[in-house]
Amino acid sequence: MSAAAGLQTATVKHPDVMAPVIALVDELRELVRSGGRNDLDARLGMVRARLSDPRVRIVVVGEPQAGMSTLVNSMVGSPVSATDGSPSVPVIVEYGQAPKATLVKSAPGGRVERVPVDPLNPLQALTTLGVLRAEFAEPSRLLADGLVVMDAPGSAAHEAAAWSMIAAADVVLYAADAAAELTEAQLDYLRRVERVCPSVVCVLTKIDRNPHWSLTQRRNRALLDGAGLNFAVAPVSALLHREATERGDQQRDAESGVPQLLDHLREYVVAQADSVAVAAAVRDIALITDQLTVTLRAESDTLRDPRRRAEITQRLATARTTADQLRQRTATWQVTLVDGSSELSADIEHDLRHRLRSLVREAEAEITRTDPARKWADFATELDARICEAVEENFVMAHYRAVELTEQVASKFPPDNRTPPLPELRLTNPGEVLEPVQPLEPLESAKAGVGQQLLTALRGSYGGILMVGLATSLLGMSLVNWYSAGAGVLLGVNALWDDRKNRKQRRQAEAKVAVARLADDVIFQVGKESRNRLRSLQRVLRDHYTEIAAEVGRTADEALRAAEETGLRYGDHRELRITEIDEGLRTVAGLRARAERLTY
């Protein structure tokens, strides 16, 4: 597609279609402003900005190292996002007739400044301090269709920026590594994304590195369906797409899955941009009208019945007292969490060492009973399988103990607060954790060859012949006679037997040392993985319950303040305010009905 052709199709949202929805949003903003709901006004402002922009905004999100930046580079056909693990910033890429790169940096006094950089080597400048985001213009065919691609870094430092980009997005691409299925934490994140932007595609990345990606795709499809998330699951390999593009290999490019993803975006996002944008806006309007209705009805109930107002005020005062008590008990639940995490870590490590110690003892007993050189490869395979089983059982135990810890912390809070989705501690594939562990060492003291055994027998028989031959020579016999020859045979067999026995003992000792080293490597590697997962669990619980403690306090304070101000503000003019509220409720209901008719 030429640049001119791209410009002709750049407007994918038609202003005539968006105008009625924008008018509804403006009317609703007036209502929420009059009700003092600045939070709802801010969200409606994002909705209006999304509707006013004729382009379609695609935001790529995901966990760190899931391949988001590689996917963005592959889609736009240019290295605009860092993929080498260096610090990254939010990236926005739109269409331009010539490549252009600009860094948006923070300046003194809360201002921002725009700094042009070399579009051929923009990533080097991203490492400078104070960079808020990077903006690119690229003559890409995909962007010429009217799309804007945004890369939201998966780091915690850019979480707020990522959610702002999601709120302004028309469609979200969630990148998930094909090496593992979606966890409960990822599903919970997708539920939150779906509430902000209902148009989501789950992109399964790095399929070139995972030959069993189709199993992961089917499993993710089942998990999404079970969570009530009707998202498409698109398997792709950005690296395979780049290699195929460089070589002009269309068949290999089709195997990468990227062309199919781009076709999906053109057919179901660009071609249906109007309906997708209207449906998303109507959904936001419905949510906001519901919240505004609840607020107005609560105020109306308070004004209509003074006894009801006293009851509500008393209930809210009790809630605030409970919140204060919860703040005072903050140290208690944090102590429970810290102590429980320490005990859990120690118990898991002890359980792992106990399981591996039992395996080592069983392996040593088996080595003592047999010659390890006979079936050392089979022994190593069986031992690896038993170690994987022990590690898997250890992580299962860790998961159930983590659930118990969560219940202990949750017991410090009001019973109506739900527990957070926990990071998955159980292992679906222990081999991934044990991959850095070196395999069981081969035995150096292997069985002796035929020639070496013959030499050992000759050395033993020589001593027997010489010793007995000298003794019989005193009787006038020759040095080699029947007696000396027989003695040589006996001593040769005995020497051969002793040599075999000594070699077997050396092999057994070497095998026991190899098993012990393997167990130490497993403990080191698995212990590190276990500690990482437990730290992740502790952070999730800490952040979740800290937020609950703060939220309970804020909600109680705000609700009580609103109820108290309602009575003081209107006093004898309650009837007038009730009439205003009733009119506002009818207006809100009418706005919602008009919005719903736009989707028919």
Side-chain angles (χ1 to χ4, degrees), residues 97-109:
Q97 293 185 351
K100 181 181 178 182
T102 305
L103 297 184
V104 180
K105 303 176 63 177
S106 58

Side-chain angles (χ1 to χ4, degrees), residues 14-93:
H14 296 85
D16 294 340
V17 178
M18 298 298 110
V21 192
I22 293 176
L24 281 176
V25 171
D26 290 339
E27 291 183 44
L28 188 55
R29 291 188 75 179
E30 292 296 329
L31 288 176
V32 298
R33 287 171 182 170
S34 63
R37 295 298 303 270
N38 295 331
D39 54 334
L40 299 181
D41 181 49
R43 179 162 183 175
L44 285 172
M46 292 184 180
V47 174
R48 194 185 195 287
R50 189 170 66 222
L51 294 170
S52 302
D53 192 340
R55 304 166 300 175
V56 172
R57 304 181 185 184
I58 299 177
V59 176
V60 181
V61 298
E63 294 187 342
Q65 306 303 319
M68 297 94 69
S69 299
T70 307
L71 177 61
V72 170
N73 295 342
S74 178
M75 291 172 61
V76 302
S78 181
V80 296
S81 193
T83 60
D84 56 358
S86 58
S88 182
V89 298
V91 172
I92 301 175
V93 193

Side-chain angles (χ1 to χ4, degrees), residues 348 351 390-400 425-427 433 526-527 529-530 533:
I348 292 174
D351 178 80
V391 170
E392 186 174 3
E393 291 176 353
N394 175 256
F395 276 85
V396 169
M397 187 273 288
H399 173 78
Y400 288 110
L425 297 183
R426 288 173 292 195
L427 290 178
V433 177
V526 175
E529 180 69 19
S530 178
R533 296 194 178 207

Side-chain angles (χ1 to χ4, degrees), residues 81-386:
S81 193
T83 60
D84 56 358
S86 58
S88 182
V89 298
V91 172
I92 301 175
V93 193
E94 59 184 359
Y95 178 79
Q97 293 185 351
K100 181 181 178 182
T102 305
L103 297 184
V104 180
K105 303 176 63 177
S106 58
R111 299 178 295 103
V112 296
E113 60 181 4
R114 304 174 65 85
V115 181
V117 295
D118 182 8
L120 300 179
N121 189 21
L123 301 182
Q124 186 176 4
L126 293 181
T127 58
T128 59
L129 296 177
V131 177
L132 301 177
R133 65 180 180 274
E135 298 178 353
F136 294 88
E138 291 289 338
S140 166
R141 176 181 176 183
L142 176 69
L143 303 178
D145 285 338
L147 298 180
V148 177
V149 178
M150 298 184 282
D151 180 14
S155 62
H158 296 94
E159 183 177 4
W163 281 108
S164 297
M165 296 169 78
I166 292 172
D170 294 286
V171 61
V172 174
L173 302 184
Y174 181 80
D177 198 323
E181 63 186 39
L182 295 173
T183 64
E184 186 60 36
Q186 289 175 299
L187 291 173
D188 184 68
Y189 181 83
L190 286 171
R191 292 188 190 98
R192 294 169 58 195
V193 170
E194 195 259 351
R195 287 194 291 267
V196 178
C197 178
S199 183
V200 182
V201 178
C202 184
V203 182
L204 206 62
T205 61
K206 305 179 183 179
I207 61 174
D208 55 314
R209 301 182 184 178
N210 301 279
H212 303 295
W213 61 265
S214 59
L215 298 177
T216 306
Q217 182 186 20
R218 289 197 294 270
R219 180 58 181 159
N220 284 352
R221 177 71 275 156
L223 290 172
L224 289 171
D225 291 341
L229 301 173
N230 188 24
F231 299 159
V233 181
V236 301
S237 170
L239 293 178
L240 197 63
H241 172 68
R242 185 183 65 185
E243 295 175 359
T245 303
E246 293 174 353
R247 300 176 182 176
D249 191 340
Q250 295 183 357
Q251 180 177 356
R252 195 168 181 82
D253 193 20
E255 295 175 358
S256 72
V258 174
Q260 293 87 327
L261 174 63
L262 299 182
D263 289 342
H264 175 83
L265 294 177
R266 292 189 181 99
E267 294 175 6
Y268 295 96
V269 177
V270 177
Q272 303 179 20
D274 289 341
S275 59
V276 170
V278 171
V282 168
R283 179 169 177 168
D284 287 328
I285 291 173
L287 291 174
I288 291 173
T289 52
D290 286 345
Q291 296 184 44
L292 191 58
T293 299
V294 170
T295 302
L296 292 175
R297 284 179 177 170
E299 184 178 355
S300 176
D301 291 343
T302 302
L303 291 171
R304 289 180 188 277
D305 188 353
R307 291 174 300 177
R308 174 70 174 166
R309 172 175 171 268
E311 178 185 344
I312 294 175
T313 304
Q314 180 60 36
R315 187 174 70 247
L316 294 174
T318 303
R320 186 166 66 178
T321 302
T322 303
D324 293 338
Q325 293 175 352
L326 187 60
R327 293 191 187 100
Q328 296 172 3
R329 288 188 296 169
T330 296
T332 303
W333 73 262
Q334 287 188 343
V335 168
T336 302
L337 176 59
V338 173
D339 291 348
S341 299
S342 300
E343 293 175 2
L344 179 57
S345 178
D347 290 347
I348 292 174
E349 183 177 1
H350 178 269
D351 178 80
L352 176 64
R353 290 182 178 274
H354 174 72
R355 293 178 187 275
L356 292 180
R357 180 180 297 178
S358 300
L359 284 181
V360 169
R361 288 176 179 174
E362 294 174 2
E364 290 178 347
E366 185 175 350
I367 290 171
T368 303
R369 289 194 301 268
T370 60
D371 186 353
R374 294 179 180 176
K375 297 182 179 180
W376 185 243
D378 295 338
F379 175 82
T381 302
E382 182 181 356
L383 183 61
D384 287 343
R386 293 164 66 184

